[in-house]
Amino acid sequence: MWEYTDKVKDHFLNPRNVGQIEDADGVGEVGSLACGDALTLYIKVKDNVITDAKFQTFGCASAIASSSALTELLVGKTVEEAEQITNKDIADYLGGLPREKMHCSVMGQEALEQAIKNMRGEAPPRAEHEHEGELICECFGVYDEEILRAIKENDLKTVEDITNFTKAGGGCGKCIDDLERLLAEARGEGVCETPGETPDYPAKGMTNIERMHLIGSVINEEVRPMLQADGGDVMLVDIDRKLVTVKLMGMCTNCPSSKLTLTNVVENKLREKVDPQIKVREA
Amino acid sequence: MNTIYMDNNATTQVDPAVFEEMQPYFTELYGNPSSMHRFGGQVGQKLKEARERVATLLNCDPAEIIFTSCGSESDNTAIRSALKAQPEKRRIVTTRVEHPAVLSLCKYLEKKEGYTVTYLGTDEHGRLDMDEYKAAVTPDTAIVSIMWANNETGNIHPIEEMAKIAKDKGVIFHTDAVQAVGKVPIDLEAMPIDMLSLSGHKLHAPKGVGALFVRKRLPFRPFLIGGHQEGSRRAGTENTTGIIALGKACQLAQENMEEENTRVRTLRDKLEKGILTTIPDSILNGDKDNRLPNTANISFGYVEGEAILLMMDQLGICASSGSACTSGSLEPSHVLRAMGVPFTFAHGSIRFSLSRFNTEEEVDFVLGALPKIIENLRKLSPFSADKEAPACAKSFSE
């Protein structure tokens, strides 16, 4: 059973502002029956202040509670103030949500954006996203721009986090590699934005050959002994810029945790000892 | 507030008679059944009795029963044993609607150990296609593993016929009978089943005990290696209290199965009929005519399962949902998806599973409460049958 706060339970069992506003100034619709949750948000605006907000939600307890919380947050705010509301504000208002349910708060934020756009005549009531980006998760229709934004705004660190916040990767799992790539990209963007603040790391300033030698020695001297102690082993296969390809051997081959070994042991060690942007994959 | 427990496919209440039987073996009779002294020996005698009781329920030889810790261990032992005993065979046949104890293992074996796995599909009622099955079982198949009864829909599969087909092709046949044992008559002397898994807590024994039937002379490779317990087929000091409880639970099931099935089926049918007739856009998932007598899996269109469950929980009603949101995954039940239940309904599925302890008053209470719950949630929902009803959903309604 999920651990919901009392406030989540209260907003689920006694949702505020349920229904439609017939003459709404802005309407935002996100989600679908197929996705398992959907929200329609209605706002009424007078003199640039949101005077009324109502919702209709199909979804679980946290989806209903998040929608209810959002409407409570909106009333009395100017449109500009409302635009600043994030999914984190919705979750905080409720005293937190289980991490796996954070996508419910993201749905609230997206519905709000759509409703404001609709109010300004920039979008139809039903959210027909015009995406310039790449469709990453086909199961839940999530684009790269939404994922990158969720990573940045919520400081997401893992693919699991991305799934919790956006649903991407929660279906067939085919997009997991893409999600890993986007995570790496998001980290890279951060470095580019503040080049002066890039911390020193062991391989900084090395030639390619020096860097390759360092990777080889870290794998041979630090990673392999750790894996060999548990009956496993690893072999360096290739180095292509930041991408290091290895082959797991011995007990690691059949280990159910081999993916974790790859990231938690091999990748982390190379990031620590060579370059924090290194990514490791299995041959 | 009273608890109305209708989640017996998840776990069951330990029967008071079962509890009474196991109790002295926690406190007064705590010897190790493998010990040479009489204090341990008397526990060994009680284990022997438990083994006989399990064997009687299944109509097999007590020597063919290996006690395990749970159904999952039994399933894993059966499948891994068959693979190890026949290293030249690299194929497995199972279904898309198995319990994760089998499904996850098969996916692991496929990905990590290079086995080829055939996952049989179902029709919209959850029934397997026998022609597809016959074609899938080939002489290079190491094991067929197919559940006797499905935990979500209660569907009963034609296990005897499937076992015969496997036997004719010289293929080991295992069945996960965790939901079936105690509810369906099983005669292993008459059926060519090679291995069968069961779990104590599904038939009014406690959690943490299970059993695996392994037919005599079947090549067997232990999963747990260590001491010589269970005829050197499963190492580890026995969970004596659990095993004694399982034995008693099997004895009770043997004595009362027919009468209990009739009573529970009557209650289940009343519940099911009441829901389907009073709540619009509700459908039954599964094979209407060939199910466990205690299970009713019903989907409610345009509402989400977790929300229904939590509303019911407020009234003390316990059930389960195949909804994605209850599990932390984002896809609804793999069983309902395999059956092609439309998303409109799959997200709003609730499984009611009854037991000998449920009463007609409880059924009446649920029938009184549920329509209001669904109505309230539908009032919250932006969808409705009129507003958004995919054609597939309409055709699925009865």
Side-chain angles (χ1 to χ4, degrees):
Chain A
M1 195 169 186
W2 298 110
E3 284 187 23
Y4 288 134
T5 64
D6 288 342
K7 206 158 180 187
V8 172
K9 287 180 204 162
D10 180 32
H11 275 264
F12 164 59
L13 294 169
N14 309 292
R16 282 68 150 171
N17 310 310
V18 175
Q20 303 178 47
I21 299 176
E22 293 300 334
D23 56 346
D25 294 308
V27 181
E29 282 188 50
V30 292
S32 71
L33 275 167
C35 287
D37 44 27
L39 163 62
T40 306
L41 178 71
Y42 303 85
I43 53 171
K44 190 79 188 153
V45 180
K46 190 177 179 188
D47 298 333
N48 200 41
V49 173
I50 297 175
T51 55
D52 195 8
K54 288 193 184 298
F55 78 94
Q56 289 178 303
T57 292
F58 158 74
C60 60
S62 28
I64 292 168
S66 293
S67 309
S68 172
L70 171 64
T71 56
E72 290 281 271
L73 281 167
L74 285 177
V75 176
K77 285 200 168 54
T78 64
V79 173
E80 289 72 26
E81 285 169 341
E83 277 183 303
Q84 301 303 312
I85 292 174
T86 66
N87 71 293
K88 195 170 176 303
D89 295 325
I90 298 170
D92 288 347
Y93 179 87
L94 291 167
L97 284 170
R99 202 147 177 88
E100 295 85 346
K101 298 281 192 170
M102 285 300 289
H103 57 85
C104 297
S105 63
V106 173
M107 185 170 72
Q109 185 183 358
E110 287 179 353
L112 173 61
E113 284 167 3
Q114 288 301 319
I116 291 175
K117 275 188 184 173
N118 176 239
M119 183 198 76
R120 289 173 173 158
E122 295 168 10
R126 185 165 183 86
E128 299 293 349
H129 293 274
E130 281 183 22
H131 294 279
E132 290 176 1
E134 179 190 357
L135 178 63
I136 300 293
C137 174
E138 290 181 15
C139 299
F140 293 104
V142 189
Y143 285 77
D144 58 351
E145 65 214 36
E146 298 166 77
I147 295 164
L148 286 167
R149 181 178 149 185
I151 293 171
K152 281 185 182 172
E153 288 186 357
N154 298 285
D155 192 24
L156 305 184
K157 306 269 194 235
T158 64
V159 168
E160 197 183 349
D161 279 345
I162 296 177
T163 306
N164 290 337
F165 278 73
T166 68
K167 288 189 145 188
C172 68
K174 277 186 200 161
C175 61
I176 298 296
D177 286 346
D178 287 327
L179 298 181
E180 284 175 351
R181 172 173 59 81
L182 289 174
L183 260 181
E185 251 182 66
R187 286 194 202 113
E189 278 174 18
V191 172
C192 291
E193 282 163 10
T194 52
E197 294 171 16
T198 307
D200 281 345
Y201 52 90
K204 194 174 183 186
M206 283 185 179
T207 65
N208 281 343
I209 299 286
E210 285 169 338
R211 199 167 156 276
M212 286 162 72
H213 278 303
L214 180 58
I215 290 171
S217 65
V218 169
I219 286 185
N220 281 331
E221 289 161 27
E222 302 201 34
V223 178
R224 291 187 67 206
M226 273 195 283
L227 302 187
Q228 283 168 343
D230 290 328
D233 206 346
V234 64
M235 184 176 80
L236 179 62
V237 175
D238 192 17
I239 302 170
D240 180 10
R241 284 167 292 180
K242 308 277 183 190
L243 185 64
V244 176
T245 307
V246 298
K247 184 173 187 217
L248 290 174
M249 296 184 296
M251 292 293 280
C252 292
T253 323
N254 295 324
C255 176
S257 309
S258 63
K259 200 167 173 59
L260 287 175
T261 305
L262 217 58
T263 51
N264 291 359
V265 180
V266 188
E267 191 171 89
N268 281 354
K269 188 54 81 177
L270 288 174
R271 284 179 174 182
E272 179 199 338
K273 297 286 181 179
V274 183
D275 180 339
Q277 288 184 41
I278 277 182
K279 188 163 169 47
V280 174
R281 75 168 185 196
E282 197 173 357
Chain B
M1 183 173 64
N2 291 329
T3 297
I4 296 178
Y5 189 77
M6 294 191 177
D7 198 14
N8 288 278
N9 286 10
T11 196
T12 56
Q13 177 189 336
V14 174
D15 191 290
V18 168
F19 183 62
E20 193 183 338
E21 186 97 357
M22 71 192 288
Q23 211 173 5
Y25 293 87
F26 282 110
T27 50
E28 302 150 37
L29 305 168
Y30 52 84
N32 188 326
S34 297
S35 296
M36 291 305 290
H37 45 68
R38 272 179 295 168
F39 189 63
Q42 62 190 337
V43 181
Q45 276 302 311
K46 193 67 184 171
L47 287 196
K48 188 176 170 219
E49 182 189 56
R51 203 180 303 277
E52 284 164 1
R53 285 171 166 177
V54 176
T56 302
L57 178 64
L58 303 177
N59 196 25
C60 65
D61 188 322
E64 293 173 314
I65 298 297
I66 301 170
F67 289 116
T68 64
S69 65
C70 59
S72 295
E73 188 195 319
S74 299
D75 290 338
N76 273 257
T77 304
I79 293 171
R80 287 204 173 274
S81 168
L83 299 181
K84 278 187 187 168
Q86 310 163 95
E88 74 286 1
K89 293 188 173 186
R90 304 290 296 172
R91 276 172 48 78
I92 301 167
V93 174
T94 187
T95 77
R96 288 171 61 197
V97 296
E98 294 300 306
H99 187 275
V102 169
L103 211 49
S104 299
L105 173 64
C106 286
K107 285 182 178 164
Y108 174 83
L109 291 167
E110 191 176 32
K111 193 174 175 191
K112 294 287 183 180
E113 298 186 17
Y115 282 92
T116 303
V117 183
T118 302
Y119 300 95
L120 302 173
T122 75
D123 66 10
E124 73 268 32
H125 301 291
R127 293 179 296 223
L128 300 172
D129 181 335
M130 291 304 285
D131 290 332
E132 187 189 3
Y133 172 69
K134 281 175 200 163
V137 183
T138 52
D140 66 334
T141 304
I143 183 168
V144 172
S145 180
I146 293 178
M147 62 188 356
W148 197 306
N150 185 269
N151 50 315
E152 292 193 27
T153 60
N155 274 20
I156 294 173
H157 295 140
I159 290 301
E160 185 170 5
E161 189 186 346
M162 295 178 122
K164 279 179 184 159
I165 292 166
K167 187 177 172 60
D168 289 345
K169 297 188 181 183
V171 174
I172 291 176
F173 187 89
H174 163 252
T175 182
D176 173 352
V178 160
Q179 295 293 344
V181 171
K183 300 182 194 119
V184 174
I186 294 175
D187 182 354
L188 290 173
E189 199 174 288
M191 300 178 183
I193 292 166
D194 295 303
M195 291 187 277
L196 176 146
S197 302
L198 65 94
S199 174
H201 75 112
K202 307 290 189 187
L203 70 152
H204 302 289
K207 297 155 193 71
V209 63
L212 176 66
F213 158 82
V214 181
R215 190 168 291 284
K216 270 182 196 163
R217 289 182 285 281
L218 186 78
F220 183 79
R221 303 288 182 273
F223 189 52
L224 275 185
I225 295 168
H228 58 265
Q229 295 89 348
E230 298 299 302
S232 296
R233 292 170 301 176
R234 197 267 189 186
T237 302
E238 293 90 343
N239 169 11
T240 51
T241 48
I243 291 169
I244 290 161
L246 175 61
K248 183 64 181 176
C250 285
Q251 185 198 33
L252 292 175
Q254 171 86 12
E255 289 168 1
N256 305 315
M257 191 186 300
E258 200 177 324
E259 182 194 334
E260 268 178 18
N261 277 351
T262 306
R263 200 183 75 79
V264 170
R265 183 182 285 108
T266 306
L267 288 180
R268 189 275 310 268
D269 289 349
K270 179 177 179 178
L271 177 73
E272 191 173 286
K273 191 176 171 194
I275 292 172
L276 294 173
T277 52
T278 58
I279 301 178
D281 290 309
S282 56
I283 58 167
L284 176 70
N285 297 313
D287 188 345
K288 195 178 173 193
D289 303 317
N290 194 19
R291 272 179 303 153
L292 294 174
N294 75 322
T295 307
N297 188 315
I298 298 172
S299 281
F300 302 94
Y302 317 109
V303 286
E304 199 276 337
E306 188 215 49
I308 304 170
L309 275 191
L310 293 183
M311 290 278 184
M312 290 201 299
D313 188 57
Q314 290 297 305
L315 302 172
I317 305 167
C318 307
S320 268
S321 175
S323 136
C325 278
T326 54
S327 59
S329 75
L330 296 168
E331 291 258 40
S333 147
H334 69 284
V335 174
L336 300 187
R337 292 304 299 139
M339 290 161 58
V341 175
F343 278 111
T344 327
F345 285 90
H347 284 293
S349 66
I350 299 289
R351 178 187 72 188
F352 299 92
S353 46
L354 279 58
S355 83
R356 68 180 67 145
F357 295 113
N358 287 114
T359 64
E360 188 160 7
E361 289 71 33
E362 291 178 336
V363 168
D364 290 338
F365 183 85
V366 175
L367 287 176
L370 198 56
K372 191 71 186 163
I373 289 172
I374 302 297
E375 189 189 337
N376 285 344
L377 286 171
R378 282 182 180 161
K379 277 183 191 164
L380 280 176
S381 172
F383 303 121
S384 68
D386 298 332
K387 201 172 168 189
E388 185 153 351
C392 54
K394 284 285 189 195
S395 66
F396 218 77
S397 306
E398 287 187 352

